[in-house]
Amino acid sequence: MAFDQNSKRIFKVVGSRPPRPDGVEKVTGRALYGADMTAPGMLSGAILRSPHAHARIVSIDTSAAEALQGVKAVVTSADFGVPDDEFLRDVQDNCMARGKVLYHGHALGAVAATSAAVAKQALALIVVDYEILPHVTDVDAAMRPDAPVVQEGRSLENVGPGLSQNVTSYCEFGHGDLDAGFDQADLIISRSFKTAATHQGYIEPHACLASLSADGRGDLWCCTQGQFFVRTLCAGILGIEASQLRVTASEIGGGFGGKTTVFIEPVALTLARKSGRPVKIVMSREEVFKATGPTVSSSMDIKIGMTREGRITAAQAQLRYQGGAFPCGTVEMGAQAAFAAYDLAAVQTQGWNVLTNRPKEAAYRAPGAPMAIYAVESVVDELCQQLALDPLAVRLMNAAQKGTLSSYGPTFDDIGLRATLEAAQAHPHYSAPLRPNQGRGLSCGFWFNFGGNTCVSLNINTDGTVGITEGNPDIGGSRASISLMAAEELGIPYDKVRTIVADTSSLGYNDVTDGSRVTFSVGLATIEAARSAIKVMCGRAARIWGIEEDAVIWEDGCAKPAGPNAGAFPPMSLAEIAAVSANTGGPIAGHFEVNADGAGVSFGVHLADVEVDPETGATKVLRYTVFQDAGKAVHPDYVEGQMQGGAVQGIGWALNEEYIYGADGRLQNAGFLDYRTPVASDLPNIDTVILEIPNPGHPYGVRGVGETPIVPPLAALSNAVSRAIGVRLNELPMSPPKVLGAIMQRG
Amino acid sequence: MVRVKIWGSLRPLADGQSEIELEARTFKEVLDQLGARYPALRPQIKRGVSMALNGRIYREAWFTKIPPESEVVLMPYMAGG
């Protein structure tokens, strides 16, 4: 759907900052999260997890657990079928190991009992005979031909010879003559980088309540970013029809991509089916770390050539991502995003996805992009340092813009990178003085954004209020944004609109809340649903006035005669038309269903100032500013919140967060005490500057904003730290021991 | 007639070409003809592809019309978080 050509539209409601509609319930503790639902006769479920990184399951004896008083069901992979579909089989095998355990924490059995204590006791009675196998957790080691093989036969046709079977796929993008480009360079820098796996770190652990009655009808209540996708997966795994399984999404305590799949839901449903009773499973924090998806870890080589004036002549990247024990496609996103910010005559990116004995990766905000862009932006910064060039001026000189052939293939339409860079250049932050041991870093960021399947139903209530039903869990303020767009289109106050998130039986299929798609897609569908309702209301007014429908227009929340020739009737407000709807044809509603496209790519620029303690290697973030193109900021508070939240998660990724494995392949830091995320006291206020370059693919010009802000912080922090200590770091996280080591090596 | 650009790792599966000329009016016709002409591309098409039409990315819309002289780029199927 195209941008409304009435581009000089003055928004009356969109762009305002009303209080969040879920605020009172959340701060008073009344909001219902995944673990808050209960049911009569409910059982507690618990899951047995592998103590080994890689082992064959020789046998599982559940007889003692089944005999324990209070135990109502025990399940293993024998209680599941084997789906024909490979993707579904992987999802199921990740929820319940079949034949082999593939990582430390992999589920291989589950119990439902009358209490959590009995369930825990029963888990200890399950006897498993393991044949321990060699394991591999490092991506480079896993690619070697002699590496332990995590799963056999999973390599796609595009993987070249000479690599381990752990390499599941290969991709390559780019254009131009690399050799000629590097020949034109005055300076070429090649560097290798590594980044650790990090977890999305949502506050709320996964939780669900499942019931599946003898007649085959099921209900599932869970915290998820996509109840419809949960239904697809669970119905497929359990072999039941989608219409017989109703999935309701709870309030969600964070997801960031990590709740776009299932981990415990099929297990709870299988326990419910076997026991005949509702079953609740709530993950512990340790289970979340061990058995839900962190992002990939990576190993990367980057080569970039630049003239002494700062023009990039050629750029090349080789990216190796490990995504845990099951195939993933994350490197394809990284390979496409790596050089997206630049207008390049010669560019090539190559990527390999690799299996290791780690938990299956899950999406994490702009999956695959942050690490690739970290490596690229680090080399660009080093080139600027060595050539004594201003890093922001160099980025402006090379910035992609409308008409640029992107590094991943398409030619860019309207994009906001140049405007974003110019805003950063003009901002006082960029020219503020720095003191000893302090450094300033800069990075561009990019994400594709997309739309997807979306349904919205908009009901005009007889008292003149409006109810909107949509199907995407609200992880970033979408209920407020959707209400704002409906109010804008209908011409009524925001507080007359309430938006709710429906279960899977109440609407057609909605894609997962991901890809920064909801404000864009659901907003677009809401605008169209409102326009549909307006058409009905204009028709009702026309009938009341006895004039033709097309002689009525909608303006400022009222139906009005289109002109003097249409008749002299006083405007009828939405409330007045709604009040007599029973007399004029019945309830008034609008709905819209679409597979939305045209989301519009998003760019951001981050500036970071840090101070490094030369005695300890600890880094303190002194000042941080985010510049991002939002297309149109529907609710600026939430847009700023997304920008701030993404920046903070990226700061954690850059400075401290990492999955640490021992030589035995076991995860050593499965808890927030040892997995260090930034907290408020670690951070300055994150300043934000919203730019609004309208997206041509949305009626109000909206672009997704949720993912781009996690992309730049990795390089912004690395460039700042490297400039502060006078030596460049090529590995994340830059935890104090690593920074101190670099300082000591520098001498 | 449209020229469809394909990404680098697909080129060995399409006789080494980086651009393929097709008679196609929609996204679906592009996919059908690519699969018919180059059977080695079928596994990737089945796994999922997106299409960028004049810079705008379409993930699934089979019947998206392709105007003459459009820029058509095949891309991997997009995923997000």
Side-chain angles (χ1 to χ4, degrees):
Chain A
M1 185 186 300
F3 180 56
D4 282 354
Q5 285 311 306
N6 179 16
S7 56
K8 289 183 180 166
R9 175 178 195 148
I10 297 168
F11 290 102
K12 294 175 179 166
V13 186
V14 162
S16 63
R17 300 171 185 254
R20 55 188 302 159
D22 52 344
V24 171
E25 286 205 344
K26 285 182 174 170
V27 298
T28 56
R30 287 201 294 266
L32 295 174
Y33 290 90
D36 290 330
M37 184 60 99
T38 59
M42 186 179 80
L43 302 174
S44 286
I47 294 177
L48 180 69
R49 299 189 179 278
S50 168
H52 305 297
H54 195 194
R56 195 172 311 285
I57 304 168
V58 178
S59 64
I60 305 180
D61 181 355
T62 60
S63 55
E66 286 164 358
L68 183 68
Q69 190 171 9
V71 171
K72 301 298 180 185
V74 180
V75 299
T76 65
S77 66
D79 295 277
F80 293 76
V82 181
D84 292 333
D85 179 79
E86 190 174 65
F87 174 79
L88 196 59
R89 201 161 59 238
D90 280 348
V91 172
Q92 177 181 304
D93 288 349
N94 191 38
C95 294
M96 188 60 64
R98 185 166 50 89
K100 285 204 304 183
V101 287
L102 301 173
Y103 56 90
H104 178 214
H106 196 172
L108 70 154
V111 171
T114 49
S115 74
V118 173
K120 189 175 174 186
Q121 199 182 343
L123 288 186
L125 296 174
I126 297 175
V127 179
V128 185
D129 183 11
Y130 295 100
E131 175 195 345
I132 295 172
L133 301 170
H135 66 271
V136 61
T137 56
D138 176 77
V139 62
D140 292 318
M143 290 181 73
R144 292 184 198 121
D146 59 348
V149 174
V150 179
Q151 290 197 56
E152 294 186 352
R154 302 306 302 269
S155 296
L156 296 182
E157 70 284 350
N158 51 27
V159 177
L163 296 168
S164 163
Q165 288 189 64
N166 293 326
V167 181
T168 54
S169 60
Y170 167 75
C171 63
E172 183 186 322
F173 301 88
H175 58 257
D177 185 338
L178 279 180
D179 291 338
F182 283 120
D183 283 347
Q184 292 166 20
D186 293 308
L187 178 63
I188 297 170
I189 289 182
S190 300
R191 292 284 180 268
S192 297
F193 298 86
K194 282 207 145 186
T195 64
T198 57
H199 197 273
Q200 297 83 349
Y202 30 81
I203 294 171
E204 182 199 19
H206 298 259
C208 71
L209 170 62
S211 74
L212 196 52
S213 59
D215 63 2
R217 292 187 178 183
D219 275 281
L220 180 65
W221 167 278
C222 60
C223 63
T224 175
Q225 289 177 239
Q227 65 273 39
F228 290 89
F229 192 50
V230 168
R231 182 185 67 178
T232 299
L233 296 175
C234 291
I237 288 171
L238 275 90
I240 55 180
E241 293 176 348
S243 61
Q244 300 307 311
L245 179 61
R246 182 175 62 169
V247 183
T248 305
S250 68
E251 285 289 346
I252 185 166
F256 313 111
K259 291 178 181 168
T260 54
T261 185
V262 295
F263 300 102
I264 54 176
E265 294 81 357
V267 180
L269 281 164
T270 305
L271 286 167
R273 178 155 67 183
K274 195 163 184 178
S275 66
R277 307 241 311 244
V279 175
K280 183 197 276 192
I281 296 180
V282 181
M283 272 188 162
S284 66
R285 179 62 58 187
E286 183 179 342
E287 286 180 295
V288 171
F289 272 109
K290 283 182 176 172
T292 68
T295 187
V296 301
S297 64
S298 70
S299 165
M300 301 171 286
D301 303 320
I302 307 292
K303 180 180 177 184
I304 301 177
M306 189 179 277
T307 66
R308 58 176 61 87
E309 293 78 24
R311 188 75 179 102
I312 298 174
T313 60
Q316 190 174 22
Q318 295 182 321
L319 314 173
R320 299 168 291 275
Y321 287 6
Q322 72 74 27
F326 296 88
C328 71
T330 308
V331 85
E332 291 169 347
M333 303 296 118
Q336 291 177 93
F339 293 107
Y342 295 103
D343 178 7
L344 300 171
V347 57
Q348 182 194 53
T349 52
Q350 297 169 285
W352 293 264
N353 285 305
V354 184
L355 298 177
T356 62
N357 293 112
R358 293 185 181 220
K360 176 174 167 42
E361 64 95 41
Y364 184 15
R365 275 183 140 152
M371 50 290 268
I373 289 177
Y374 149 69
V376 167
E377 290 289 272
S378 296
V379 174
V380 171
D381 197 61
E382 189 175 352
L383 283 159
C384 293
Q385 273 188 304
Q386 293 201 23
L387 292 167
L389 296 169
D390 177 82
L392 215 157
V394 165
R395 282 166 174 93
L396 267 169
M397 184 190 299
N398 293 283
Q401 55 190 323
K402 184 173 184 174
T404 294
L405 175 62
S406 72
S407 57
Y408 58 92
T411 301
F412 282 126
D413 199 343
D414 289 308
I415 56 172
L417 175 59
R418 180 167 289 275
T420 311
L421 283 163
E422 285 167 350
Q425 194 174 41
H427 196 276
H429 183 167
Y430 194 58
S431 52
L434 292 168
R435 292 193 301 213
N437 300 317
Q438 296 181 356
R440 174 164 301 135
L442 155 72
S443 175
C444 297
F446 164 83
W447 185 244
F448 303 94
N449 295 335
F450 54 74
N453 293 291
T454 307
C455 305
V456 167
S457 181
L458 181 150
N459 292 294
I460 308 290
N461 301 318
T462 52
D463 66 351
T465 60
V466 173
I468 295 175
T469 306
E470 55 108 352
N472 278 95
D474 178 356
I475 60 172
S478 54
R479 281 171 293 192
S481 298
I482 290 158
S483 293
L484 283 165
M485 285 186 268
E488 181 74 44
E489 199 63 31
L490 292 167
I492 60 175
Y494 164 80
D495 61 10
K496 298 293 182 194
V497 185
R498 183 177 181 191
T499 298
I500 62 130
V501 179
D503 64 60
T504 55
S505 296
S506 303
L507 274 180
Y509 189 86
N510 284 267
D511 279 338
V512 171
T513 297
D514 69 351
S516 302
R517 72 175 215 90
V518 173
T519 304
F520 167 78
S521 306
V522 184
L524 183 152
T526 299
I527 292 166
E528 282 302 309
R531 289 175 180 175
S532 171
I534 286 169
K535 192 170 185 319
V536 175
M537 290 189 285
C538 286
R540 299 290 175 90
R543 291 180 74 181
I544 291 168
W545 293 331
I547 62 176
E548 291 298 315
E549 190 175 323
D550 58 8
V552 179
I553 58 167
W554 190 262
E555 214 171 68
D556 297 328
C558 295
K560 298 176 180 175
N565 293 339
F569 304 103
M572 281 192 80
S573 69
L574 180 147
E576 289 169 330
I577 295 169
V580 295
S581 59
N583 308 105
T584 60
I588 299 170
H591 63 95
F592 197 71
E593 295 79 31
V594 66
N595 188 349
D597 289 303
V601 300
S602 166
F603 286 93
V605 174
H606 290 201
L607 290 178
D609 291 359
V610 303
E611 181 167 314
V612 179
D613 183 340
E615 302 292 323
T616 65
T619 298
K620 184 166 182 58
V621 183
L622 302 173
R623 185 173 183 180
Y624 202 99
T625 311
V626 179
F627 305 84
Q628 190 174 324
D629 170 21
K632 175 66 194 170
V634 177
H635 190 308
D637 278 356
Y638 281 116
V639 173
E640 289 163 2
Q642 290 281 3
M643 291 158 72
Q644 291 165 326
V648 170
Q649 287 187 308
I651 290 168
W653 197 337
L655 294 182
N656 288 103
E657 296 181 36
E658 62 179 317
Y659 266 48
I660 299 171
Y661 282 89
D664 57 3
R666 293 185 170 117
L667 182 62
Q668 296 187 331
N669 59 336
F672 279 134
L673 279 178
D674 298 312
Y675 180 96
R676 179 74 164 83
T677 58
V679 296
S681 56
D682 293 321
L683 298 161
N685 183 48
I686 307 293
D687 291 323
T688 56
V689 177
I690 301 173
L691 287 94
E692 295 186 326
I693 292 94
N695 168 24
H698 187 278
Y700 292 174
V702 170
R703 293 178 197 273
V705 296
E707 290 173 285
T708 299
I710 202 172
V711 178
L714 284 63
L717 266 291
S718 182
N719 293 339
V721 170
S722 297
R723 285 172 180 261
I725 65 175
V727 59
R728 195 151 276 278
L729 294 163
N730 294 332
E731 190 173 326
L732 299 184
M734 298 175 293
S735 49
K738 285 187 199 161
V739 176
L740 190 59
I743 292 170
M744 291 173 75
Q745 226 171 12
R746 178 201 65 191
Chain B
M1 192 70 76
V2 294
R3 296 182 67 79
V4 180
K5 285 199 267 185
I6 61 173
W7 71 90
S9 39
L10 293 189
R11 288 172 198 159
L13 310 175
D15 295 343
Q17 297 184 78
S18 58
E19 287 193 14
I20 299 163
E21 206 163 65
L22 301 170
E23 285 286 353
R25 293 161 300 174
T26 65
F27 184 18
K28 184 170 190 302
E29 288 181 8
V30 166
L31 298 182
D32 289 347
Q33 290 191 37
L34 280 175
R37 196 182 300 179
Y38 302 105
L41 289 176
R42 287 181 196 159
Q44 178 61 53
I45 292 171
K46 190 177 173 196
R47 284 194 294 272
V49 290
S50 307
M51 176 185 71
L53 176 63
N54 294 326
R56 183 179 292 187
I57 297 170
Y58 296 83
R59 289 204 304 169
E60 286 154 333
W62 274 358
F63 305 117
T64 303
K65 287 195 170 56
I66 302 175
E69 309 302 318
S70 299
E71 179 197 64
V72 181
V73 183
L74 210 62
M75 297 172 64
Y77 188 78
M78 290 283 132

